[in-house]
C-alpha cells in the first residue's frame, strides 16, 4: 500500500467496539416478482432509520452489503450506521450464492484484521443472507467453509428464504435452520434485525445475547 | 507535490469549515510549502482570525511572504550552516509582519483587520527549526516518539489568540532541534480537538500514527492532496469541528513498504 491510509483514522475518531454485519442479498432476476426487490430496498431503509435512533448502535454497528444477481458485487463496504446510505437495489440474472458467501466471509476476515490493527474490540460478526432461489454456482465449498467458521464461533450466520426459495438447499447451505419469510414482510424482518443488532451492540463483546424470536415476519 | 527524487515528501491543504460555509465566510486558513533544491523542506500555515474583517487576505499574505523569505535565505549549498534555519525562521516572521503592515497601509485598513496566526518550519541539513505565533500546533515524531514541539499559544482567555498583527509580534516561539524528525505535522486550531489532548497538549497516537506511517510513501500518482482534502472534509472530522482546517504533513521519503 502506498500513501496514507485515511480509513485507519476512522478508528482514532470512533474507538467504539464494532459489531460488523454483512448482508448477503439475492438480487437475481426472480427478485423482481411481486416487487420483492423494491420491498427489500425499503427494508434496508427501515434498518438504517431504526438503527440510527440508537446512538450507541450508530457508532458500533457496521453494515456491509454484498449482492448476488448475475454477478457478485460489494454494494457497500463496511460503514458505521451513522454514515450508511441504504442503496436502491435492482434485480438481474442468476443466483451466485456460493461466491457471495465467500466474498462475505473474506470481507469479515479483512475487517477483523483492521480492528485488530487499530486496537478496536469487536463482537462476533454477522452474516445475514436473504434469497428467493437456490444457488446457480458451485456452493458446496463455500458452504463447507461457512459451517467450519460458524462451528468455531467465528461468525453468526442467518438465512432467510423468500417465497420460491428451495428451502432444502438453503438448509444445506446454512449451519443454522433457515427461516421462511412470511409474505413480503421485509419491513418487519429488518426491524427485527435492527433490534437484534442494537441489543448485541449494547452488550459486552463476548457476552451471549438472547435474540427476540422472529415471530412477526417468519412463517412456520 | 514532492519531486520523486527528494529526501522528503510533503502534502498540505486548507479547507473551509462547515460553520464558515454555512454563513458564507471564506476559508481564513492558508498554507504553503516547498522542497528547496538545497534539500531543505519549508512550510508555512496561517489561520486568519475570525474577528478580523480581512483575515483571509492576511493569512494568504503571511504564508506567501514567509515562504518566499525562507526560500531566499535557505537556497544555498552551505549545508554547514544549520543556524541559517533559525535565522530564516526569524526573517520569515519579520517579512510577513512587514507585508501585513504594508498591505494595511496600501488598503487603508487598520492592521488588526488582517490579523492572522503564523507557523513556519524549515527542516533539513540534519536540523529542524520552527517558529510559531498563535494557536494551532506542530507535532513531530523521532524514532517512534511523538512530541508536540509547539503547543497552541493563547492569551489569557480561551477565545483570545495571539496574532502576527499585535504589538508583541516579535515574541513568536522558536523551536530548534539538532535532529531531523522522521515526520512532522503543522495544523490549525480547527484540528486541535482531534489531534491533541486538551489537558496537556499531548499528541493523540490514533490520529498521528496513520498519517506519519504513510506520509513518507506518498507519490504523485496518489493525488494525495485531494485525498487529504477529502479527509479534512469528511463527516467524522466535521462532527468535531466547524472551523477551517489546515494540515501540512512532512515525512522522510521511504521507498520501502514498511507495513500493510
Amino acid at each position: 500500500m502506498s500513501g496514507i491510509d485515511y480509513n485507519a483514522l476512522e478508528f482514532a475518531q470512533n474507538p467504539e467496539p464494532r459489531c460488523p454485519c454483512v448482508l448477503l442479498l439475492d438480487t437475481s432476476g426472480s427478485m423482481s416478482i411481486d416487487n420483492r426487490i423494491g420491498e427489500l430496498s425499503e427494508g434496508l431503509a427501515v434498518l438504517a432509520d431504526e438503527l440510527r435512533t440508537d446512538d450507541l448502535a450508530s457508532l458500533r454497528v457496521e453494515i456491509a452489503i454484498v449482492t448476488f444477481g448475475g454477478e457478485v458485487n460489494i454494494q457497500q463496504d463496511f460503514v458505521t450506521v451513522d454514515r450508511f446510505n441504504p442503496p436502491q437495489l435492482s434485480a438481474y440474472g442468476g443466483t451466485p450464492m456460493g461466491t457471495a458467501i465467500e466474498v462475505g466471509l473474506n470481507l469479515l476476515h479483512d475487517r477483523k484484521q483492521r480492528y485488530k490493527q487499530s486496537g478496536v474490540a469487536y463482537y462476533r460478526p454477522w452474516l445475514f443472507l436473504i434469497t428467493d432461489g437456490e444457488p446457480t454456482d458451485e456452493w458446496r465449498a463455500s458452504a463447507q467453509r461457512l459451517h467450519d467458521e460458524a462451528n468455531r464461533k467465528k461468525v453468526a450466520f442467518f438465512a432467510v428464504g423468500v417465497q420460491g426459495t428451495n428451502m432444502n438447499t438453503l438448509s444445506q447451505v446454512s449451519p443454522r435452520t433457515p427461516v421462511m419469510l412470511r409474505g413480503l414482510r421485509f419491513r418487519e424482518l429488518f426491524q427485527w434485525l435492527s433490534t437484534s443488532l442494537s441489543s448485541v451492540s449494547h452488550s459486552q463483546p463476548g457476552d451471549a445475547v438472547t435474540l427476540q424470536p422472529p415471530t412477526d415476519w417468519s412463517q412456520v | 507535490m514532492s519531486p520523486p527524487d527528494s529526501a522528503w515528501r510533503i502534502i498540505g491543504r486548507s479547507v473551509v469549515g462547515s460553520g464558515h460555509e454555512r454563513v458564507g465566510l471564506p476559508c481564513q486558513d492558508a498554507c504553503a510549502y516547498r522542497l528547496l533544491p538545497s534539500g531543505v523542506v519549508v512550510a508555512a500555515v496561517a489561520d486568519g482570525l475570525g474577528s478580523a474583517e480581512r483575515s483571509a487576505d492576511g493569512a494568504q499574505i503571511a504564508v506567501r511572504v514567509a515562504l518566499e523569505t525562507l526560500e531566499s535565505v535557505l537556497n544555498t549549498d552551505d549545508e554547514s550552516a544549520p543556524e541559517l534555519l533559525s535565522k530564516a525562521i526569524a526573517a520569515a516572521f519579520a517579512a510577513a509582519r512587514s507585508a501585513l503592515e504594508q498591505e494595511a497601509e496600501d488598503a487603508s485598513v487598520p492592521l488588526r483587520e488582517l490579523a492572522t496566526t503564523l507557523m513556519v518550519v524549515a527542516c533539513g541539513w540534519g536540523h529542524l527549526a520552527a517558529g510559531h505565533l498563535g494557536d494551532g500546533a506542530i507535532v513531530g515524531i523521532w524514532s517512534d516518539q511523538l512530541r508536540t514541539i509547539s503547543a497552541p499559544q493563547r492569551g489569557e482567555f480561551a477565545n483570545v489568540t495571539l496574532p502576527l498583527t499585535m504589538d508583541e509580534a516579535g515574541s513568536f516561539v522558536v523551536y530548534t532541534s539538532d535532529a531531523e524528525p522522521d515526520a512532522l505535522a503543522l495544523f490549525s486550531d480547527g484540528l486541535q480537538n482531534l489531534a491533541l489532548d486538551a489537558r496537556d497538549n499531548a499528541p493523540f497516537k490514533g490520529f498521528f500514527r496513520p498519517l506519519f506511517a504513510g506520509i513518507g510513501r506518498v507519490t504523485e500518482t496518489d493525488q494525495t492532496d485531494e485525498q487529504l482534502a477529502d479527509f479534512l472534509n469528511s463527516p467524522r472530522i466535521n462532527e468535531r469541528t466547524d472551523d477551517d482546517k489546515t494540515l501540512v504533513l512532512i515525512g522522510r521519503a521511504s521507498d520501502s513498504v514498511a507495513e500493510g
Side-chain angles (χ1 to χ4, degrees), chain B residues 80 108 114 167 202 221 228 243 253 256:
Chain B
S80 60
S108 307
L114 295 162
D167 290 343
T221 49
L228 177 61
D243 199 359
S256 59

Side-chain angles (χ1 to χ4, degrees), chain B residues 120-145:
Chain B
V120 296
V121 298
C123 188
W125 303 334
H127 286 70
L128 165 68
H132 184 185
L133 184 65
D135 51 19
I138 307 173
V139 168
I141 189 166
W142 283 261
S143 345
D144 232 30
Q145 290 294 311

